[in-house]
Each structure stands twice: as structure tokens, then as C-alpha cells.
Amino acid sequence: MAVTNPVGFWKRLLANLLDAIVVGIPISIIGYLITGSWETNWFTSLANILYALIVPAVWYGYTVGKRILGIRIAKVNGGKVGIGTMFLRSFVGGLVYFITFGIGLIISAIMVAAREDKRSIHDFIAGTYVTTEKPAA
């Protein structure tokens, strides 16, 4: 299956910012109320990990921010995005960015801006892309 209607850098960035505002801030507040700490705490870390892995897996590749913008994560092969796919995309991709001291993240941003299919390093790791295509009914 081909990559159809890929989404570029700015729309993807805006979706991440919306996720941070709409989901991240409430999670941080709840984490503070539970743990008494604004610093990294177990609740906030766990909730963010579960959000990144589970929400797109059960919501056809959408996160709250992506849904607001009408974009979603899709598998290149046409399959359903699952928790394993999201683990590869989020955790393994994030590990690559961490190990390369952020250089991989900069390269990924350039890839999304310059490539016709708009795929980044974490998209290649997970076999995904971001699209405006609606999920198959």
C-alpha cells in the first residue's frame, strides 16, 4: 500500500503542541495532586507513556491533538496501528533521538519537511506515516 495524503512538519508539530496542552497539562496537574511534586514523578511519566502507546492503538491512529487537526498515524502496509507499533514509534524512536543527543530528531524534522512521503526516523522504525486519510470503516 502506498503512502497517501502525508502530513508535513507544521501540522504534526501543532498536533503535538495540542496534545501537550489538552492532555499533558491535566496529566501534570493530576500527577502533582497525587505525588506532591511538579518534577518528573511516577504518575505523570506512566500516564504519558500509556497515552502514547494506547490511545493511537485503540483510536485508529489518532491522539487528541491529531484528531483535532484531522490527521492520524497509519501503517504503511495498511494494517492497524497497535501497541507494538506505537512502542516502536514512541520508545525505540525516542531512544534513537536520545542516543544521538537530539541530532536524530533534527534529521527527522528535515526528513518530514523535505521527503515526499513526509516520513521521519520513528516512522521508518515503526512502518508508519501521518496522513489526513480517514480510517477504513
Side-chain angles (χ1 to χ4, degrees):
M1 179 170 218
V3 171
T4 56
N5 298 325
V7 176
F9 176 80
W10 293 111
K11 214 168 190 181
R12 289 169 71 146
L13 178 63
L14 183 56
N16 284 328
L17 289 173
L18 287 169
D19 274 328
I21 293 166
V22 176
V23 178
I25 291 174
I27 285 174
S28 294
I29 292 169
I30 294 166
Y32 171 75
L33 294 173
I34 290 172
T35 67
S37 173
W38 284 112
E39 303 300 315
T40 303
N41 60 63
W42 66 268
F43 179 85
T44 302
S45 298
L46 180 63
N48 283 322
I49 290 167
L50 292 175
Y51 176 76
L53 294 178
I54 295 172
V55 171
V58 300
W59 202 17
Y60 305 101
Y62 292 108
T63 62
V64 172
K66 284 179 175 60
R67 182 73 178 150
I68 290 168
L69 294 180
I71 65 176
R72 69 184 185 92
I73 303 161
K75 297 266 298 185
V76 173
N77 68 9
K80 186 179 183 312
V81 174
I83 290 177
T85 299
M86 293 313 302
F87 176 80
L88 289 172
R89 194 171 195 276
S90 301
F91 184 77
V92 177
L95 191 59
V96 168
Y97 300 146
F98 177 78
I99 290 170
T100 61
F101 301 103
I103 294 169
L105 186 60
I106 294 166
I107 292 168
S108 270
I110 294 167
M111 289 170 65
V112 171
R115 290 179 55 88
E116 190 174 324
D117 64 4
K118 308 295 183 197
R119 293 177 71 204
S120 64
I121 292 171
H122 58 268
D123 285 316
F124 277 97
I125 290 169
T128 61
Y129 70 107
V130 178
T131 182
T132 57
E133 289 286 315
K134 303 284 185 239

